[in-house]
Amino acid sequence: SFPFAKQAASQKLPMPRVPFKSGSSRKRQLSPVAGPKAAKSCRLQLQDQEAAREAHSRELLFNQYADADGCGGIIKAAGVEALCRDLGLDPADIRLLLLAWLCSAGEMCTFTRDEFLRGCQRLRAASISRLRTGLDDKLAYMRCHSQQRDKPDCGDVNADSCSRETEFRDLYRWTFEFGLEPGQRTLPIAMAVDLWQLVFEARPTGPPAILPAWLSWLRSGGHGVRAVTRDTWRMFLAFADACAAAGGDLSAYDQSEAWPSLIDDFVEAEIRRLGQQPLEADDACGGW
Amino acid sequence: MSRYPPYGGATSIQSLNEMWAQVKQGIDRIYNMEGISKPQYMKMYTDIYNYCTSVDPARNCVTQPLAKKGKGEARGAKDTGGGARFVGDELYTKLKDDLKARVVDLKRGADGKVGNDLLEYFYTHWSRFRKCSVTVDGIFNYLNRNWVKRECDEGRKNIYFVYQLALNTWKEHWLKPHQAQVIPALMSEIERERRGENILKSAYLKVIIDCYVELGFESDDGGAASAMAASGSPAPASGGSVSRGGSSRSHVGGGGGGSGKGGSSTDRLHFYEEMFERQFLDETEQFYRVESRDFLQQNSVTAYLAKAERRLEEERKRCSDYVHRSTEEKLLARCMEALLAAHLSVFWQEFPALLDADREQDLGRMYRLCSHVQQPHRADAAGGSDSLPVNGLDRLVELFEQYVADRGLEAVKSVSSAVLSSEGQDAKLYVDTILGVHRKYYNLVLQAFSNNRRFVEALDKACMKFINRNELTKLAKNNQKTPELLARYSDALLKKGSKDNVVGDELEDTLTHVMTVFKYIEDKDVFQKFYSRFLSRRLVYNQSVSEDVESSMISKLKENCGFDYTTKLQRMFQDIGASRELNTRFQDFVTKDGAALGLDFEIKVLSSNAWPIHISQGSGVTIPSELERCYTTFDRFYKKTHEGRKLQYSYNYCRGELITNFTKNRYTLQVSTYQIAVLMMYNTETSYTVQDIAATTSIEPQVLQQVLAILVKAKLLTLPSAEAAADAAELAPGTRLALNQDFKNKRLRINLNSQLKCESKQEQEQTSRLVEEDRSYMIQACLVRVMKTRKEMKHQKLVAEVISQLSQFKPSVQQIKKNIDTLIEKEYLQRKSGERDKYEYLA
């Protein structure tokens, strides 16, 4: 149940190679100049730098994927599928989540016109290839750790990493809302696990160390909970940070603090699990 | 009276030796106890007056400032002056030397005396000397009032009022030289008294010890004299008081003025404290240290306690007998130190044994003695036991709590299997066991520990411990077993025809005991659930012993847990009352309607939210046609008056009576609705298969099995002979059941209505589920209530607040957290942004 997996799962076709992966397309987006490319899926030649012109091309891009029968135009499951294919991305790729986030999409597998145009504008993309590069760059930007920065335009390193962290938090919060079925207030465990797995790929500092244990505990179902609440989703980020700050040592965790009870339960189970392992090892040794 | 001599220096100087010779004679007589007559006394007084006032005026022209004070004196003082000073000085010196000679003489008489002899000598001569000195002081009153006073006012050292001069002379020339003998003599006397031997009269000791107090007026640095300088006390007052023994005290006592009084009084005691008290206290402590150690080695702790108590009493008496009262506090403190504080650990060791042996008196004594020990115990003095708590009672309270809890657990353990295994669980045995333990130690606290608050608390804590968690709850694997059993017990008490029934005041008392246990129960809500279930059954089946007792019990609960706790219970009573009325109206309705029902019909309409009655699945039954009309008529009647209400029939709570027409005797059968449905079938035919019955009555097979089993057991229905022998646990669908035409029973009324098994089990489960649900609601309500007033609150404070507000049960932190999660989810609360452990209330 990846965000876009419903459609992709049925379609085992190999993803088409992205045709334009050349260096030129990876240039900074600040220059609006687009190379004279004839994208396979794009029928428009971008020769103009005018915004109106670009807007028009985005419009056309949208129309290309919008369901034919959708009045007012909306990209639905099939459209998203096609979009993925053209972008050369797995539906479960983090970059698609980023796209949805930049579009401020309210629902999975759906882009309204406004959403899609907003996203393209933010990525300064008016073609599928520009969209792809835009997403690649966005991801690179999000992931980029301050130490690795060598570009001159990155400005103050700290302020930069700080703003990237803020952006990530925004993405994280939005992801929960995005994952909700319409009318629901909680995220089913399976969906939550997938989204957690995915969203941390865009984190500057990478996925937290505690994440695998947390996800496997959630998958194990030992908690007797069917869905994750918004509060738990939000607090997990703080919990992961607190864990990292404590060097992954759960014994410092205080049950009487204001953590959601699901996290309490996890820590209890995890401590028990970690406590058992050495015991079992001892037993094994004793056997020898 | 002799005339006042004219003023003249020559006369005065000349007459000193003459005058002194005469006065000395008088003084001799006084000190020899020969007595002087009034005229003699007056003569001496006048001589001294004349002598002192015969001053050469030329020698003095300075007006004494202090002379202004008394009006009567003013002129005289003006006339006297520097000459008088000179003259007074000479007279004073003569007197001083004379007194010294006398005292030295007396001292010589005591030389070589020790022990009792010395003390007796001291007593005799001191009392005499003191008495005589009062008289002498009177004779020299004029000197006192003028010369001595003035000298003191001017700050001259070592000048005393005559009486004090005498005392001081005694102190310097008698007491101090003999101090080394007097004190040991006193100590050995006191020790002998402590050993129970005969001693000198304690009055002797009192006089001698008082001597130390009285002689304290003057420290060697002349403190009293300077104190006198500050004194503004008018001369006549001091003159008048000289005649009494206490006079010297009033002289000095007034010295510092109002505020200085306390200070000067401790000054006064300083001599006593230094010379006598310190050693006395040391000796006392030493004595008791040795005695208590030896005594404890040879005797039991209880004997020791009795002795210690006696000893303390003796010492208290000693203080009132002959030791100065200021010593009492210090003395008792030292005695307690030696007698009690040093042996606390021994007492503590003995304490459980005393509890075991129910030694109420000894326990009381130990409590009284230990409660005296308040100061931190000096570790060095105890010899080894050094980590002792501050207060003597602390440990006793601790031990007591532990002991009671242990006894409680033991007592419960000894009955727990009997309680659980007996039919219907012997709640009475359990509650009685608990009460037995409680009553025993409650009385003990009352009798032995004079209902001390801390012991009461310890008892409460101990009871809480063993009542809520014990062997029985462990055995039953249910921590909420106690409230359940207590509710069962109260049901047994309040239900008609139960074996535990008692009546009248005794019932009221027993219910009070139930409340005693109730107070200790943590899960009060569980009790409430069970209680309301039992109450509902009592009310529905009219089984209550008395409505008054029921409501008194409810008001007891209300008193304990508040209005909310009993609302539902009270509502149940209202419903029953309303139903009574409803039935009368229904009868009227039926009569008016002219549609006779053909049977007595009574119904109770109960509001579903107050009653723990549930319409369980599979409790349905097809009502026999004979009854059908009752229901439809009532439905009609009720809908007319109460529109919009929905009636649901709880057949599993219904009962009826059937009368047998087929037998010789007319038996009345008390039966359930199910049984009615089955038995009415036999009006048409005398034999049915189980299958037939199930089809006609549409009773759930599981229920039907039990219904039929009872009827078969009562021999109303008979199995075919082949299957009767088999006595199968379950009746096969094809089994044919025939009406027993020869039914016979000893009684004419037969109760066949016993509760169905599956039902009671269901009820139990439902009750515990309800408890959990209600707890969640209560926690949430409490959280919202708190947050609504505080608007913002830290997590831990909120949790603590909720725990303190919920009195009916102890919520776990986890439970509270779960409910906080729920409330965040329901958007009653939210986390304050930026502060992880703070919540905000969302209006």
Side-chain angles (χ1 to χ4, degrees):
Chain A
S1 55
F2 293 99
F4 303 98
K6 285 179 200 156
Q7 292 70 42
S10 59
Q11 186 192 32
K12 292 277 170 34
L13 293 172
M15 289 294 161
R17 297 265 336 138
V18 177
F20 304 105
K21 239 186 156 180
S22 62
S24 64
S25 69
R26 307 207 109 212
K27 270 183 191 160
R28 295 298 298 162
Q29 300 297 299
L30 286 169
S31 92
V33 182
K37 294 172 194 83
K40 184 172 129 195
S41 53
C42 182
R43 275 166 287 163
L44 260 182
Q45 291 292 313
L46 297 175
Q47 296 161 342
D48 211 304
Q49 298 177 8
E50 283 171 39
R53 189 81 183 271
E54 260 192 35
H56 183 63
S57 10
R58 287 200 282 267
E59 197 88 12
L60 291 176
L61 194 60
F62 173 76
N63 287 338
Q64 186 188 341
Y65 296 108
D67 277 358
D69 56 346
C71 51
I74 194 162
I75 301 181
K76 281 281 201 187
V80 172
E81 207 176 297
L83 181 67
C84 289
R85 201 169 48 239
D86 293 347
L87 282 170
L89 290 173
D90 188 279
D93 196 285
I94 176 66
R95 277 162 286 198
L96 272 165
L97 189 68
L98 286 178
L99 176 62
W101 170 52
L102 290 167
C103 295
S104 306
E107 211 180 305
M108 278 194 186
C109 303
T110 307
F111 292 106
T112 62
R113 172 187 294 272
D114 287 348
E115 284 168 1
F116 188 79
L117 296 182
R118 188 188 304 137
C120 289
Q121 195 168 15
R122 281 185 185 159
L123 287 164
R124 294 188 182 80
S127 69
I128 199 74
S129 64
R130 290 296 302 275
L131 202 53
R132 170 65 196 254
T133 28
L135 287 172
D136 286 345
D137 285 352
K138 185 73 188 170
L139 182 60
Y141 165 76
M142 291 287 285
R143 272 182 185 172
C144 190
H145 226 269
S146 49
Q147 291 96 316
Q148 300 163 349
R149 299 288 289 183
D150 50 4
K151 293 192 179 171
D153 61 337
C154 69
D156 182 11
V157 167
N158 276 333
D160 196 50
S161 72
C162 197
S163 79
R164 266 177 291 132
E165 183 61 30
T166 316
E167 271 190 67
F168 172 73
R169 279 172 196 282
D170 183 59
L171 166 68
Y172 182 83
R173 286 195 156 215
W174 167 85
T175 303
F176 180 84
E177 314 299 332
F178 179 63
L180 288 181
E181 291 285 331
Q184 292 298 303
R185 305 174 53 85
T186 55
L187 214 50
I189 286 286
M191 174 64 82
V193 165
D194 289 340
L195 285 178
W196 256 314
Q197 186 92 61
L198 188 61
V199 71
F200 278 110
E201 283 182 29
R203 191 170 201 195
T205 51
I210 197 73
L211 187 67
W214 167 249
L215 295 182
S216 80
W217 179 73
L218 283 180
R219 277 194 207 101
S220 76
H223 40 75
V225 170
R226 265 167 294 160
V228 172
T229 64
R230 179 180 284 114
D231 185 52
T232 305
W233 176 271
R234 290 185 180 178
M235 290 303 282
F236 177 74
L237 191 56
F239 169 69
D241 287 349
C243 270
D249 181 14
L250 288 176
S251 63
Y253 181 84
D254 186 354
Q255 289 244 358
S256 68
E257 276 179 30
W259 298 109
S261 49
L262 190 64
I263 296 183
D264 282 349
D265 294 347
F266 162 68
V267 171
E268 208 182 307
E270 187 65 6
I271 286 176
R272 206 179 313 123
R273 188 177 71 85
L274 292 174
Q276 272 167 5
Q277 270 176 349
L279 258 178
E280 282 165 5
D282 279 352
D283 285 349
C285 286
W288 288 101
Chain B
M1 266 331 117
S2 55
R3 66 185 171 87
Y4 293 166
Y7 302 142
T11 341
S12 72
I13 290 174
Q14 266 224 324
S15 59
L16 172 65
N17 284 330
E18 280 170 38
M19 187 274 294
W20 176 248
Q22 283 193 8
V23 171
K24 180 164 164 41
Q25 249 180 18
I27 295 177
D28 282 343
R29 284 184 66 83
I30 293 171
Y31 277 113
N32 292 335
M33 301 296 281
E34 286 159 16
I36 51 165
S37 63
K38 231 174 192 167
Q40 277 172 319
Y41 181 91
M42 287 310 294
K43 168 98 175 40
M44 287 161 80
Y45 183 92
T46 316
D47 284 350
I48 291 164
Y49 173 84
N50 287 339
Y51 171 74
C52 287
T53 48
S54 61
V55 201
D56 177 5
R59 279 173 140 169
N60 175 43
C61 48
V62 185
T63 306
Q64 294 302 320
L66 254 147
K68 282 175 191 159
K69 286 223 160 158
K71 250 188 189 167
E73 264 173 80
R75 202 184 49 222
K78 211 177 247 171
D79 296 342
T80 59
R85 161 189 280 177
F86 179 68
V87 184
D89 205 348
E90 278 178 320
L91 179 59
Y92 184 81
T93 316
K94 276 206 181 296
L95 178 63
K96 190 173 166 184
D97 292 344
D98 181 68
L99 285 171
K100 182 177 168 187
R102 276 172 214 285
V103 172
V104 168
D105 200 36
L106 286 173
K107 183 230 154 202
R108 227 173 272 128
D111 282 350
K113 285 193 172 27
V114 285
N116 273 349
D117 294 345
L118 180 68
L119 293 180
E120 271 192 82
Y121 186 87
F122 188 160
Y123 168 74
T124 323
H125 290 279
W126 159 249
S127 350
R128 194 185 294 169
F129 180 77
R130 190 167 158 276
K131 206 154 54 178
C132 299
S133 298
V134 174
T135 319
V136 172
D137 187 71
I139 291 167
F140 282 85
N141 192 12
Y142 190 78
L143 188 74
N144 270 345
R145 271 161 52 188
N146 292 284
W147 186 81
V148 175
K149 189 162 188 297
R150 198 161 55 231
E151 295 298 309
C152 288
D153 287 347
E154 282 170 10
R156 200 169 148 199
K157 308 245 168 182
N158 295 324
I159 301 294
Y160 308 101
F161 290 102
V162 171
Y163 178 70
Q164 280 174 311
L165 178 70
L167 296 190
N168 203 35
T169 314
W170 180 273
K171 178 170 156 187
E172 293 299 324
H173 300 288
W174 200 101
L175 191 55
K176 283 195 177 164
H178 282 303
Q179 170 73 5
Q181 286 82 43
V182 172
I183 292 295
L186 275 174
M187 295 303 161
S188 80
E189 274 305 292
I190 295 173
E191 192 173 326
R192 279 178 52 208
E193 192 192 37
R194 284 187 178 135
R195 293 195 195 289
E197 294 167 31
N198 283 332
I199 55 156
L200 286 170
K201 278 190 220 151
S202 57
Y204 284 24
L205 296 183
K206 182 170 176 55
V207 169
I208 294 171
I209 291 167
D210 276 351
C211 169
Y212 280 94
V213 177
E214 198 168 5
L215 294 185
F217 69 92
E218 165 69 346
S219 21
D220 292 326
D221 60 0
S226 60
M228 280 307 298
S231 160
S233 63
S238 72
S241 65
V242 176
S243 55
R244 286 192 303 115
S247 61
S248 65
R249 288 181 202 166
S250 72
H251 275 305
V252 182
S259 66
K261 197 161 185 177
S264 71
S265 121
T266 50
D267 280 351
R268 181 160 59 80
L269 286 173
H270 186 69
F271 181 69
Y272 162 79
E273 282 165 0
E274 277 298 300
M275 292 297 162
F276 171 76
E277 189 188 61
R278 189 155 40 145
Q279 204 174 345
F280 172 62
L281 293 178
D282 288 347
E283 295 261 335
T284 306
E285 186 172 339
Q286 187 54 31
F287 176 80
Y288 285 128
R289 234 172 243 301
V290 174
E291 189 196 44
S292 62
R293 200 184 53 218
D294 294 349
F295 193 87
L296 267 174
Q297 270 170 6
Q298 287 156 17
N299 296 281
S300 68
V301 176
T302 49
Y304 176 75
L305 287 171
K307 189 177 174 65
E309 195 169 49
R310 218 162 45 235
R311 280 302 197 189
L312 286 174
E313 204 35 61
E314 278 172 24
E315 292 303 324
R316 212 169 274 135
K317 184 162 178 297
R318 180 158 295 122
C319 284
S320 67
D321 278 357
Y322 51 80
V323 180
H324 190 252
R325 64 193 144 75
S326 71
T327 307
E328 177 165 343
E329 206 175 305
K330 295 178 237 172
L331 177 67
L332 289 177
R334 296 285 281 270
C335 289
M336 280 165 196
E337 174 72 33
L339 284 170
L340 307 175
H343 305 292
L344 280 177
S345 55
V346 180
F347 300 166
W348 296 332
Q349 263 171 12
E350 189 70 13
F351 188 62
L354 291 181
L355 286 169
D356 273 338
D358 297 327
R359 301 277 286 273
E360 205 173 272
Q361 281 200 332
D362 292 320
L363 286 168
R365 190 170 292 127
M366 186 180 283
Y367 157 74
R368 281 195 301 278
L369 292 174
C370 283
S371 66
H372 290 319
V373 182
Q374 295 293 342
Q375 309 87 343
H377 176 232
R378 288 212 315 264
D380 55 306
S385 46
D386 43 7
S387 57
L388 302 172
V390 176
N391 190 308
L393 280 188
D394 288 348
R395 182 86 185 120
L396 283 194
V397 171
E398 246 170 66
L399 287 169
F400 181 69
E401 182 184 329
Q402 188 57 45
Y403 183 86
V404 174
D406 287 349
R407 290 297 83 72
L409 289 173
E410 261 171 37
V412 169
K413 190 174 179 177
S414 66
V415 298
S416 55
S417 55
V419 169
L420 289 180
S421 61
S422 69
E423 183 68 27
Q425 300 176 338
D426 196 345
K428 181 175 162 54
L429 176 62
Y430 182 54
V431 176
D432 282 349
T433 308
I434 290 173
L435 276 172
V437 175
H438 176 264
R439 193 174 307 131
K440 179 171 172 186
Y441 295 106
Y442 178 78
N443 285 334
L444 186 72
V445 168
L446 210 61
Q447 303 296 331
F449 305 141
S450 53
N451 216 10
N452 178 290
R453 187 179 46 82
R454 302 186 52 203
F455 278 94
V456 175
E457 274 169 18
L459 176 68
D460 288 350
K461 264 195 236 163
C463 287
M464 205 98 107
K465 222 186 275 174
F466 85 82
I467 288 176
N468 286 297
R469 310 259 179 285
N470 53 37
E471 189 66 22
L472 186 131
T473 59
K474 217 184 289 167
L475 218 61
K477 293 194 184 67
N478 181 357
N479 276 339
Q480 301 170 348
K481 200 70 193 171
T482 307
E484 182 193 325
L485 285 174
L486 190 66
R488 269 185 206 287
Y489 180 53
S490 19
D491 181 51
L493 288 171
L494 294 167
K495 196 154 118 189
K496 247 189 262 175
S498 119
K499 64 178 164 46
D500 296 331
N501 269 168
V502 286
V503 283
D505 288 349
E506 202 189 336
L507 177 57
E508 198 58 34
D509 284 353
T510 318
L511 289 176
T512 313
H513 293 324
V514 169
M515 292 310 294
T516 309
V517 181
F518 175 77
K519 259 183 273 170
Y520 294 119
I521 280 179
E522 277 171 7
D523 303 309
K524 295 200 165 52
D525 54 338
V526 177
F527 177 87
Q528 187 211 33
K529 289 284 169 313
F530 280 98
Y531 190 87
S532 78
R533 214 178 84 195
F534 295 135
L535 174 66
S536 76
R537 202 170 296 147
R538 289 199 297 275
L539 292 177
V540 167
Y541 297 152
N542 296 325
Q543 279 175 331
S544 224
V545 271
S546 124
E547 218 161 283
D548 289 345
V549 181
E550 290 281 6
S551 56
S552 119
M553 182 66 185
I554 287 177
S555 57
K556 282 192 181 87
L557 292 171
K558 190 152 112 189
E559 213 173 279
N560 239 285
C561 289
F563 178 74
D564 282 353
Y565 192 74
T566 50
T567 15
K568 282 190 179 177
L569 303 181
Q570 270 166 337
R571 185 70 195 279
M572 284 158 71
F573 269 104
Q574 284 167 12
D575 281 352
I576 292 295
S579 292
R580 227 173 273 146
E581 206 184 306
L582 194 72
N583 274 305
T584 346
R585 280 197 286 133
F586 179 56
Q587 292 307 327
D588 292 349
F589 174 80
V590 170
T591 333
K592 250 185 234 159
D593 218 34
L597 298 172
L599 48 96
D600 294 333
F601 182 76
E602 198 197 329
I603 196 156
K604 290 190 169 80
V605 179
L606 316 171
S607 50
S608 56
N609 59 354
W611 289 72
I613 283 178
H614 62 290
I615 316 289
S616 56
Q617 290 223 317
S619 69
V621 61
T622 306
I623 296 297
S625 55
E626 292 88 341
L627 287 176
E628 187 69 45
R629 263 192 36 170
C630 299
Y631 290 102
T632 46
T633 317
F634 185 80
D635 256 355
R636 207 143 40 88
F637 160 74
Y638 193 77
K639 293 258 162 67
K640 228 158 128 191
T641 40
H642 301 91
E643 233 172 300
R645 289 200 198 167
K646 195 181 160 208
L647 281 177
Q648 262 184 309
Y649 291 98
S650 315
Y651 294 120
N652 46 339
Y653 285 90
C654 295
R655 295 190 309 175
E657 285 185 358
L658 293 178
I659 294 169
T660 57
N661 288 326
F662 65 94
T663 48
K664 209 172 82 189
N665 294 324
R666 279 161 62 94
Y667 293 105
T668 307
L669 307 175
Q670 295 177 307
V671 284
S672 67
T673 323
Y674 303 120
Q675 288 164 332
I676 292 177
V678 174
L679 289 176
M680 292 302 269
M681 288 175 69
Y682 287 88
N683 274 338
T684 26
E685 271 179 61
T686 56
S687 150
Y688 289 100
T689 62
V690 174
Q691 218 169 356
D692 291 339
I693 297 174
T696 314
T697 61
S698 59
I699 300 171
E700 287 281 308
Q702 212 192 344
V703 179
L704 185 62
Q705 286 290 338
Q706 294 181 50
V707 169
L708 293 177
I710 294 168
L711 294 177
V712 170
K713 203 175 156 206
K715 303 219 164 63
L716 252 177
L717 301 181
T718 48
L719 291 166
S721 48
E723 288 184 42
D727 196 24
E730 200 159 301
L731 300 163
T735 311
R736 197 156 259 289
L737 292 168
L739 184 69
N740 180 7
Q741 309 264 16
D742 306 320
F743 179 73
K744 257 182 205 152
N745 200 302
K746 276 184 288 182
R747 304 161 115 186
L748 286 178
R749 281 182 85 84
I750 304 156
N751 185 5
L752 296 174
N753 188 18
S754 56
Q755 209 194 359
L756 300 178
K757 251 185 239 152
C758 61
E759 217 169 65
S760 62
K761 203 174 152 200
Q762 240 178 5
E763 275 189 355
Q764 197 120 4
E765 278 166 15
Q766 196 207 18
T767 306
S768 47
R769 206 189 63 234
L770 267 179
V771 165
E772 279 315 304
E773 267 175 26
D774 279 7
R775 283 186 174 188
S776 271
Y777 289 134
M778 274 194 267
I779 294 174
Q780 284 179 24
C782 187
L783 281 165
V784 169
R785 211 162 47 229
V786 171
M787 288 304 291
K788 201 167 180 174
T789 46
R790 306 287 178 92
K791 299 295 176 230
E792 250 182 51
M793 210 166 176
K794 288 238 181 200
H795 171 79
Q796 262 140 346
K797 271 200 170 161
L798 178 62
V799 170
E801 184 66 34
V802 167
I803 290 178
S804 78
Q805 283 200 11
L806 289 172
S807 58
Q808 295 189 13
F809 64 99
K810 261 191 179 166
S812 69
V813 175
Q814 246 179 338
Q815 265 176 312
I816 297 176
K817 274 186 122 174
K818 286 229 154 75
N819 286 297
I820 291 178
D821 286 356
T822 313
L823 287 177
I824 291 178
E825 203 45 39
K826 287 186 186 167
E827 294 182 354
Y828 279 96
L829 305 181
Q830 71 176 20
R831 287 178 201 272
K832 194 171 162 67
S833 59
E835 279 181 87
R836 213 165 60 199
D837 56 347
K838 211 167 191 179
Y839 304 112
E840 280 176 315
Y841 179 71
L842 294 173

